[in-house]
Amino acid sequence: MAEEARVEAGGDGHVRLSGPVTFQSVPKLWPRLAECFSADSITLDLGGVDRADSASLALMLECLRAARAAGGTLRFVAVPAQMLAIASVAGLDEVLALGDGE
């Protein structure tokens, strides 16, 4: 059985995403992630993502939109190479501020 994607929210604005972030898992992940955007500053740790497709990029963009709509900021850390490559090909690495080497 494949591992399920998970969202783990810390009380300090740190949110960790793990498991596969794909077309199959994103619809289940989004409601849980959306709950996290009440803090002023969110750090979304993607270091636990073990598989990603273009839906992961759509999820990142939606997270960015939600953070901005709530008047906060969002920072992505530990972005896996596969997600960086998808963002780069789509020309969105700068929009997501992924070029800082984290």
Side-chain angles (χ1 to χ4, degrees):
M1 177 182 259
E3 179 184 353
E4 284 194 33
R6 292 184 312 281
V7 175
E8 300 166 33
D12 59 355
H14 186 115
V15 179
R16 180 168 169 80
L17 191 56
S18 60
V21 180
T22 63
F23 284 103
Q24 290 77 26
S25 65
V26 165
K28 295 174 188 169
L29 290 171
W30 175 242
R32 178 68 177 108
L33 275 171
E35 296 172 3
C36 301
F37 292 104
S38 59
D40 290 334
S41 177
I42 300 290
T43 298
L44 184 54
D45 181 346
L46 301 167
V49 174
D50 58 18
R51 194 170 67 245
D53 59 24
S54 59
S56 67
L57 182 61
L59 182 66
M60 292 171 73
L61 289 168
E62 188 59 20
C63 288
L64 185 60
R65 186 208 58 78
R68 289 179 176 168
T73 61
L74 175 64
R75 184 170 70 110
F76 299 102
V77 298
V79 181
Q82 187 177 22
M83 293 175 83
L84 288 172
I86 294 167
S88 180
V89 166
L92 292 170
D93 44 340
E94 287 186 29
V95 171
L96 296 169
L98 300 176
D100 60 4
E102 289 197 47

